Amino acid sequence: MKNYKQILEENRAWAEETFAKVDSKLRKIAVRSRDIAADGVDENGRHKPCPNIGGWTRGFFGGLNAMMYEHTRAEEYLACAKSIESLLDVALTEKTTELHHDVGFQWHILSGALWRILGDKGSRTRNLFAASLLASRFNVDGGFITAWNGQKQKNWTIIDTLMNLPLLYWASREIGDDRFKLVAMAQADTALCDHLREDGSVAHIVEHDRETGDVVCTYAGQGCAVGSSWSRGQSWAVYGFTLSYIHTGEERYLNAAKQVANYFIANCCDDWLPRIDFRAPAEPVYYDSTAGLIAACGMMELGKRLPENEGGMYMNAAVKLVRAICDAFGNFDENTDYIIGNGSVRYPIPGTYTEAQAGVHISIIYADYYFAEALLKLLGSEFLPW
């Protein structure tokens, strides 16, 4: 097996060529979509205004532009990122009670990134406020961060929350208070004990006893059934456990990341195009490009932190995922506002969700975000938005 650096070098020319196309397209999008907290596109392939500014995906377009600015220093990206950050202020000031476990997706990759890039104190304040909101969701007796806001969901945790924990690790370092880090590690340990299965698959949603933290039951969530394996949940776990390892140095998170990554690789290595659920029926075939790109970013960071040959295995898988998804679902037409297609929100359960209701094979903003992040990693960028 080639090592991490060899694989990086072998794919550098492809990464440079592909990034040049992405950069050319995104600069135009940054100008025409500057005042849109983009989530998806309309029938003409153009970003459409989002009705809910507090939605969990609203930070990705601004975060994408902040990440591109960090690498290129192109002013179009900075102007767009700052514009989106200002738009999201409405969510902080007027929709605070509607926010939930996903504030890291909304602010850490945008305001947190702008603070680190620019030293913007307003961005720092926004990010610290978001961190306080996330920490406030911690159930002290049960030892977990509550997902969502419904009465039914008050004792639920979800695997997605792992990707929001870097906001708390950052806050602890930023203000010299380990309480945020302790909350983050408690949630990471909950995911490790209650969401991670022995075979490396993960449960999307777990309901807990509020007082003891014990598992009451699990739910299908966005997968096809209870006990199934929703691929984006797997990718949140690959990257999320890796990030908890990066921020804490705790080996148990590294081992968990490897366990989930191995399962992910085994279940999509035939063509490197992840299905929505790894335990779904063979037909019809439903893809989720977002799962592959998120997992690839996690595997690249994981590979960096392992011995050469072992790290090369994860880097090799990451490159295969990114290149296969680019070949199958990439769109470099500069008259449209998305780059990667065939994202899927959830599995379309017959009799419950139609394909349209489930958001199957659509453009999703975080597919573009993680594709750009993966390309930057292939180009050697050391900037970690998380």
Side-chain angles (χ1 to χ4, degrees), residues 299-310:
M299 289 179 199
M300 289 182 195
E301 292 296 334
L302 177 61
K304 287 181 188 178
R305 291 160 174 85
L306 294 168
E308 282 193 353
N309 289 341
E310 187 180 11

Side-chain angles (χ1 to χ4, degrees), residues 18-19 36 59 71-72 75 79 109 117 145 196 204 219 221 232 234 240 275 277 312 326 330 332 345 370 379:
T18 306
F19 181 80
I36 301 174
H71 188 76
T72 66
E75 290 298 322
I109 57 173
I117 296 167
I145 294 175
L196 178 61
H204 182 197
Y219 296 96
R232 192 161 70 251
Q234 301 298 138
R275 279 41 171 185
D277 193 309
C326 180
F332 299 103
V345 176
Y370 286 102
L379 292 174

Side-chain angles (χ1 to χ4, degrees), residues 179-196:
R179 287 177 297 172
F180 293 96
K181 178 181 178 181
L182 293 173
V183 168
M185 291 180 68
Q187 178 59 35
D189 288 339
T190 292
L192 195 156
C193 294
D194 298 342
H195 289 259
L196 178 61

Side-chain angles (χ1 to χ4, degrees), residues 365-381:
I365 190 61
Y366 44 90
D368 293 353
Y369 178 91
Y370 286 102
F371 183 59
E373 184 181 339
L375 288 176
L376 288 169
K377 292 182 192 302
L378 288 174
L379 292 174
S381 173

Side-chain angles (χ1 to χ4, degrees), residues 53-74:
I53 196 63
W56 77 273
T57 62
R58 301 305 181 260
F60 280 104
F61 184 54
L64 171 60
N65 279 274
M67 183 168 56
M68 293 295 290
Y69 174 74
E70 194 281 332
H71 188 76
T72 66
R73 287 304 192 265

